[in-house]
Amino acid sequence: MANDIVNVEPDDSLKTWGWVSYILHLIVAIGAALPGAQASVVLLLVALVIDFIKRDDAAGTWQATHFSWRIRSVLWAGLLYIITSWLWLLFLVPGWIAWSLISLWFLYRIVKGMIRMKDNRPMEPKDVI
């Protein structure tokens, strides 16, 4: 099957790239979750580019799930921000609440991925949404 994880040991550089990406995502996630601590969207784009480029190198390893996890986290968060952006135009408080919840959800996903990567565990197929 296409989503099967093969017991192939990836080279250490994939794990290093994975950590670089997670750290960049974490900086952005903390900046999004804490009022007044905005991080640059450039950091997020750099991390996303790393994930897209290195995802193919990780194919067939447990780390491939982490690259997909981070990509999906960014894409879902971006979509949710776009969908709820109209709340800012109509009402300040609902927009703030919606974006705070999305930011906390994004932070949760990044921390969850970091914990699993630290333990050399893949993201479970049910988790990789």
Side-chain angles (χ1 to χ4, degrees):
M1 297 180 115
N3 291 333
D4 287 341
I5 296 173
V6 180
N7 288 332
V8 175
E9 272 305 307
D11 67 46
D12 290 336
S13 71
L14 282 177
K15 193 166 187 179
T16 301
W17 281 113
W19 279 114
V20 167
S21 179
Y22 268 127
I23 296 299
L24 293 173
H25 280 90
L26 183 65
I27 292 168
V28 172
I30 290 172
L34 296 177
Q38 293 301 315
S40 172
V41 73
V42 173
L43 294 178
L44 185 65
L45 293 176
V46 168
L48 194 59
V49 167
I50 290 170
D51 290 336
F52 274 115
I53 290 173
K54 291 296 183 180
R55 181 174 56 171
D56 290 339
D57 294 344
T61 69
W62 62 270
Q63 290 182 6
T65 61
H66 286 273
F67 287 100
S68 295
W69 176 259
R70 289 187 301 267
I71 291 168
R72 286 186 178 105
S73 296
V74 170
L75 295 179
W76 275 109
L79 179 65
L80 291 171
Y81 282 132
I82 290 169
I83 290 172
T84 59
S85 63
W86 65 272
L87 292 172
W88 286 101
L89 299 174
L90 298 176
F91 309 103
L92 182 63
V93 174
W96 179 80
I97 291 171
W99 281 30
S100 294
L101 291 173
I102 296 166
S103 298
L104 289 173
W105 171 82
F106 183 66
L107 179 60
Y108 161 78
R109 284 185 59 101
I110 297 306
V111 171
K112 180 177 181 177
M114 291 176 85
I115 291 169
R116 291 186 70 91
M117 187 159 162
K118 179 187 74 66
D119 295 336
N120 294 326
R121 294 173 41 205
M123 299 309 297
E124 298 296 324
K126 64 179 175 49
D127 293 337
V128 183
I129 297 175

